Amino acid sequence: AIATSDDQTTRDIDPDAFKKAAESYNKVLELEKEGSNYQGLAKINFDNLKADVLNSGVAAYQESDFEGAFKSFQTYEQVAPSDTTGYIYSALMAQQLEDYETLIAEYEKLFAMGYYPKSALNQVVYYSLNTLDKPEEALRYIQLAQEKYPEDNEFQKTAVDVYIKMDRMDDAIAEIREAIVLEPTNARLYSNLGMLLDTQGETELAKEQYIKALEIDPSDRFSLINLAVFYIGQGDEINKVAIEMDVATFRKEGADVEEKARAEWKKSIPLLEKVLEGDDADELALQNLHAVYYKL
């Protein structure tokens, strides 16, 4: 009666009234035989008690009283500790309050119960990584998600982002290779692998990945531009040899070397033009195409 009173002064008599009432009803259910009058009465009253708490939280939420709703859902957790509803609603209110540490703590309670909804795992990963700047925690949750949902490649891709943020490029490359095994027809994965290999100076290996990506999706912008940049760089390296020749050597060999450089530069043109077919104002493609024309 204290817990469900409409009078605030009465409710203030005992802030733990909901919890104590729930414990008492549960004790009745434990002591009474199945089908007894007291057991039936306890079940009805206990269900009503849970409904009162839950409804008060929902009503507060509908009034945009997220703090009040959060308190109600916290109480519901005490009244019905084995019901996942309270933890999920508490986490949602913590999100509204932008209290992401509490959001994660609420989902941790779910995980401790052996319940791992994808939405909860995605949120703890996202807020750990992007809001709280805790990449190690994000990685721990990703590994948990991969264990619970080994067929879901999205967690694998997120792991790549985390490793990059932690500057663990070898791990990022290994992770994206595993993602490719699970999703071998995803052009973007090959393109991203190529870019990671590029950052490590593995340009030839990167080139192979861009070519694989384009075999799957001939219009993949990143692979088209990055492969074009590779050929431009190859041409520059060859042309550098000609530039550094002495006059006598250049007269004998320079023209051939320059022609090889031009051949590499020309390979980039159809790739960049392909990008411009999709977007004739693509700034990066236009800049590189301008550079190639200038070199030629």
Side-chain angles (χ1 to χ4, degrees):
I2 292 171
T4 58
S5 173
D6 292 331
D7 177 48
Q8 183 62 50
T9 304
T10 302
R11 293 199 301 273
D12 288 343
I13 293 171
D14 190 343
D16 292 327
F18 270 113
K19 181 181 179 182
K20 291 177 180 177
E23 289 172 348
S24 294
Y25 286 131
N26 278 319
K27 191 65 177 176
V28 173
L29 295 173
E30 177 190 326
L31 294 172
E32 287 290 320
K33 292 180 181 179
E34 184 70 32
S36 72
N37 289 337
Y38 276 128
Q39 189 184 68
L41 189 61
K43 282 182 178 179
I44 292 170
N45 281 281
F46 188 34
D47 287 343
N48 289 338
L49 186 73
K50 290 193 293 183
D52 282 339
V53 182
L54 201 59
N55 290 338
S56 67
V58 171
Y61 169 72
Q62 291 172 339
E63 294 294 324
S64 297
D65 177 12
F66 303 128
E67 187 70 47
F70 178 75
K71 289 178 180 177
S72 292
F73 296 137
Q74 289 280 283
T75 301
Y76 187 81
E77 290 179 22
Q78 294 180 330
V79 172
S82 61
D83 187 345
T84 60
T85 305
Y87 307 108
I88 293 171
Y89 283 9
S90 290
L92 292 174
M93 292 309 99
Q95 185 180 28
Q96 292 289 342
L97 295 166
E98 298 183 357
D99 183 354
Y100 303 114
E101 293 276 11
T102 297
L103 175 146
I104 290 172
E106 290 301 316
Y107 283 136
E108 279 283 7
K109 294 175 186 177
L110 275 187
F111 302 155
M113 296 169 67
Y115 183 46
Y116 305 93
K118 280 187 183 181
S119 59
L121 289 164
N122 277 317
Q123 285 197 29
V124 295
V125 169
Y126 177 84
Y127 288 116
S128 294
L129 181 63
N130 299 296
T131 306
L132 301 176
D133 195 25
K134 294 181 177 179
E136 294 85 358
E137 283 296 292
L139 189 58
R140 181 171 69 84
Y141 288 123
I142 288 170
Q143 290 167 344
L144 176 63
Q146 288 175 309
E147 176 190 327
K148 300 302 176 183
Y149 299 98
E151 78 291 347
D152 192 326
N153 206 18
E154 292 307 309
F155 291 113
Q156 199 101 37
K157 296 172 191 174
T158 306
V160 175
D161 295 335
V162 177
Y163 282 129
I164 291 172
K165 188 163 186 175
M166 296 172 72
D167 199 26
R168 292 169 56 176
M169 302 306 291
D170 288 343
D171 288 321
I173 289 170
E175 203 68 43
I176 204 167
R177 287 190 187 280
E178 289 185 25
I180 287 171
V181 171
L182 294 173
E183 207 172 335
T185 59
N186 187 328
R188 183 54 55 83
L189 289 177
Y190 292 100
S191 180
N192 289 342
L193 177 57
M195 286 188 280
L196 288 176
L197 291 167
D198 251 337
T199 64
Q200 300 297 91
E202 301 282 359
T203 54
E204 283 292 338
L205 290 176
K207 170 192 170 186
E208 292 175 11
Q209 303 309 315
Y210 299 140
I211 291 172
K212 287 179 183 177
L214 293 172
E215 287 172 354
I216 297 168
D217 179 6
S219 63
D220 181 70
R221 174 182 179 270
F222 294 103
S223 294
L224 287 166
I225 290 178
N226 287 328
L227 187 56
V229 169
F230 170 83
Y231 288 129
I232 293 169
Q234 288 288 96
D236 290 346
E237 287 297 313
I238 295 169
N239 194 53
K240 185 180 176 183
V241 175
I243 292 171
E244 293 176 351
M245 286 178 178
D246 58 53
V247 175
T249 306
F250 184 80
R251 285 173 179 166
K252 288 188 290 184
E253 303 173 15
D256 290 338
V257 174
E258 285 184 332
E259 186 54 40
K260 289 177 182 177
R262 280 194 291 272
E264 291 297 310
W265 289 329
K266 287 177 181 177
K267 290 178 184 177
S268 70
I269 293 175
L271 299 169
L272 297 168
E273 288 178 341
K274 181 72 175 176
V275 176
L276 294 171
E277 286 177 14
D279 178 7
D280 61 7
D282 190 295
E283 189 172 350
L284 193 55
L286 288 168
Q287 287 173 349
N288 280 288
L289 197 56
H290 170 272
V292 172
Y293 287 149
Y294 182 78
K295 293 172 190 292
L296 292 171

